Amino acid sequence: MTEGVLTGFTVAVTAERRRDEMAALLTRRGARVVTASAISIVPLADDDALHAATAACIGLAPDLVVATTGFGFRGWLEAAEGWGLGDQLREVLGRARIVARGPKPCGAIRAAGLSEEWAAQTESTDEILERLLAAGVAGLRIVVQEHGEPQTAFVAALRGAGAAVVEVPVYRWVLPPDLSPVRRLAEQIVAGQIDAVTFTSAPAAKAFLRVAGESAPAALDRLGSGATLAACVGPVTAGPLAERGIPVVMPARYRLGALIKTVTDELPRRSVKLRVAGSTLEMRGHAVLIDGAAHTLAPAAMAILTSLAARPGVVVSKDQLIAALPRGNDGHAVDVAVARLRTALGSGRHIETVIKRGYRLRLDEPAA
């Protein structure tokens, strides 16, 4: 049987929007998926602040509109329709120059029958701000569609350069009411049970760092060391992690599908591959592939095999293996775990018993 390319790996999804889609894509590739939304989206369609900002936008007749997300831009127009302001909003937007923070808001702009003047290639508000300030904004009336949280520095810079700015809060990010899934994810990272964590927004990355830092700070150490892979959809999302010194991988194209492909390429590349007793062993998070066939292992058996694979061909003492077991225990627990490991692998030939000393893998030569 051909195994999925991510068979044996466990990947965490921290997104709320498109969470199920991401989980399905990863599961289809063989991964075990853990979902723990780090943030919740609160729509503001019935919010007085959004209604007031929409009325202000219509009254302002802006020269320039900054659209930051497709989701938010569509939600804004839908809310305006509900208030009977849709036609008026489209009219003033149609007369304004529209700048987009990447292709997603471009799609929403065009779907509304409007067109953007230009889009940020880096998909960041930093690029938009740099270009606007270089061109000069003094005296301009600018509307900024926020994306989950106030764009304080961005708006302050525009106002400081002489622009009149209206902020449009379409939705906001908040911590989920139940933080237990995020705390549990942090504990699983500490226990070495998570191979990769995916992030699709900077607010989610910030929220995860905050919750994990409070409940299981060692999880951040594993991410910082690269023991658990941090995978981000793009540089804006990666920003909070980079500020903490956590290495990240990201696709060249900042899209969900490209993020999944990056994880799919990166995890197998990082796995340890050995030639043992005539077989190719590939160590993965909760399984080992023997000549391409997956063998799912219990945590104790996986811990033993991981310790042996870290020093292939070298005798690993029982004391060292006891320390590697999830709950410690004693030499008898090691013997039991090794016996179960041999059974799971379908053969005892891969692991050699060295009397009174410990165990070692029967190493051939490094796999190609």
Side-chain angles (χ1 to χ4, degrees):
M1 181 181 73
T2 302
E3 305 294 346
V5 68
L6 291 180
T7 293
F9 293 116
T10 302
V11 181
V13 174
T14 60
E16 180 182 57
R17 279 202 324 116
R18 305 183 73 182
R19 172 190 59 205
D20 294 343
E21 180 183 353
M22 289 186 69
L25 289 169
L26 291 164
T27 301
R28 196 176 304 152
R29 288 160 174 77
R32 179 184 292 173
V33 178
V34 172
T35 59
S37 298
I39 53 175
S40 292
I41 300 171
V42 179
L44 300 181
D46 298 324
D47 189 83
D48 290 341
L50 178 56
H51 189 284
T54 302
C57 174
I58 293 171
L60 184 69
D63 302 299
L64 180 72
V65 175
V66 179
T68 56
T69 65
F71 175 73
F73 194 82
R74 285 191 301 271
W76 183 22
L77 292 176
E78 289 169 4
E81 290 286 354
W83 296 320
L85 299 175
D87 290 341
Q88 295 176 66
L89 180 58
R90 280 187 173 81
E91 184 179 347
V92 298
L93 294 177
R95 291 196 300 265
R97 297 157 50 206
I98 303 179
V99 174
R101 190 181 67 106
K104 288 184 179 179
C106 284
I109 291 164
R110 295 169 191 173
L114 304 167
S115 60
E116 75 281 358
E117 184 175 272
W118 54 270
Q121 296 301 307
T122 59
E123 303 185 24
S124 73
T125 50
D126 288 344
E127 179 185 342
I128 292 176
L129 182 61
E130 182 179 348
R131 290 184 62 171
L132 291 181
L133 294 181
V137 297
L140 293 184
R141 301 181 300 274
I142 301 177
V143 167
V144 177
Q145 174 239 314
E146 297 177 346
H147 54 97
E149 58 187 359
Q151 307 301 296
T152 307
F154 181 78
V155 170
L158 293 175
R159 286 176 175 154
V165 183
V166 170
E167 300 164 79
V168 179
V170 184
Y171 58 89
R172 67 177 181 268
W173 303 113
V174 297
L175 288 174
D178 180 9
L179 290 175
S180 57
V182 182
R183 293 185 178 124
R184 187 161 52 248
L185 170 59
E187 292 167 359
Q188 289 176 296
I189 292 172
V190 173
Q193 297 170 359
I194 303 294
D195 300 296
V197 184
T198 60
F199 299 95
T200 58
S201 73
K206 289 179 185 176
F208 175 80
L209 292 172
R210 172 182 164 187
V211 175
E214 293 172 353
S215 63
L220 305 187
D221 295 336
R222 280 191 63 86
L223 288 167
S225 70
T228 298
L229 177 70
C232 298
V233 75
V236 175
T237 299
L241 296 161
E243 289 173 5
R244 297 289 295 263
I246 295 173
V248 302
V249 296
M250 69 184 81
R253 189 166 177 266
Y254 312 144
R255 295 292 175 274
L256 186 147
L259 172 61
I260 299 298
K261 185 178 187 306
T262 296
V263 172
T264 301
D265 292 342
E266 185 67 19
L267 284 180
R269 187 187 69 77
R270 290 159 52 101
S271 65
V272 175
K273 302 173 182 68
L274 301 168
R275 287 290 300 175
V276 177
S279 300
T280 298
L281 266 63
E282 180 177 344
M283 304 291 299
R284 296 192 168 189
H286 60 265
V288 58
L289 268 58
I290 301 179
D291 296 329
H295 296 255
T296 300
L297 302 178
M302 194 71 211
I304 293 291
L305 185 56
T306 299
S307 294
L308 296 176
R311 303 177 67 190
V314 176
V315 176
V316 181
S317 71
K318 281 192 176 183
D319 287 341
Q320 291 171 310
L321 294 176
I322 290 169
L325 287 175
R327 294 179 180 82
N329 285 303
D330 52 23
H332 175 69
V334 169
D335 294 336
V336 171
V338 169
R340 290 175 177 170
L341 175 59
R342 284 170 167 158
T343 299
L345 298 182
S347 170
R349 62 191 173 89
H350 302 100
I351 301 173
E352 179 182 0
T353 302
V354 180
I355 303 300
K356 296 184 180 180
R357 291 180 61 193
Y359 298 94
R360 67 181 170 198
L361 291 178
R362 288 198 177 98
L363 189 66
D364 295 343
E365 69 277 340

